[in-house]
Amino acid sequence: QVQLVESGGGLVQPGDSLNLSCAASGVRGSFSTYGIAWFRQAPGKFREFVAAISWNTDRTIEALSVKGRFTISRDNAKNTVNLRMNSLKPEDTAVYYCAAKLYGSDSSLSKIANYPYWGQGTQVTVSS
């Protein structure tokens, strides 16, 4: 059973940066065979896609709302995925979740229903 643990959240001011990490354990085979994504959920809103990285091409995709500000990367040797968040805005405030799926096509990276494994989330609050 794959277990995901997020870390790095906190309270920051608008314009600040944060780096979230997702550490995986219990993976079957190699961590490199898992597509990984970040989603977020603000109070009273649906969970939404933020960014993802593929398992085989290391292709990355980001939501339009974070494109140019957030960067996703992975370190397969350490079984971790990072989300670098720059120029944070109050509307980025949410609980951020890491999710994983074995293999899969790049076209399915942003689809929440494709991810069977989820972390518990880490709170990010952007406020002055």
Side-chain angles (χ1 to χ4, degrees):
Q1 180 74 6
V2 177
Q3 294 182 330
L4 303 172
V5 178
E6 303 94 336
S7 61
L11 172 63
V12 296
Q13 294 185 338
D16 285 352
S17 298
L18 271 179
N19 191 69
L20 303 184
S21 291
C22 173
S25 61
V27 300
R28 183 172 61 187
S30 171
F31 180 66
S32 64
T33 61
Y34 288 81
I36 307 294
W38 287 92
F39 293 83
R40 67 186 182 186
Q41 188 166 16
K45 294 189 177 181
F46 292 108
R47 194 168 297 188
E48 66 175 3
F49 170 75
V50 176
I53 186 166
S54 68
W55 68 274
N56 58 341
T57 64
D58 276 353
R59 177 195 174 198
T60 62
I61 58 171
E62 299 85 22
L64 287 176
S65 59
V66 306
K67 200 170 185 64
R69 299 188 298 122
F70 291 13
T71 303
I72 188 171
S73 61
R74 67 188 301 158
D75 185 338
N76 291 330
K78 296 182 179 179
N79 286 11
T80 58
V81 171
N82 293 318
L83 182 68
R84 177 66 178 179
M85 306 187 296
N86 295 327
S87 303
L88 283 162
K89 304 175 181 180
E91 51 263 43
D92 293 320
T93 295
V95 177
Y96 283 70
Y97 298 91
C98 175
K101 65 184 180 76
L102 188 62
Y103 299 121
S105 66
D106 286 0
S107 63
S108 66
L109 283 171
S110 64
K111 296 175 173 58
I112 191 170
N114 290 331
Y115 289 88
Y117 307 112
W118 290 82
Q120 294 299 306
T122 185
Q123 176 70 46
V124 172
T125 303
V126 185
S127 175
S128 56

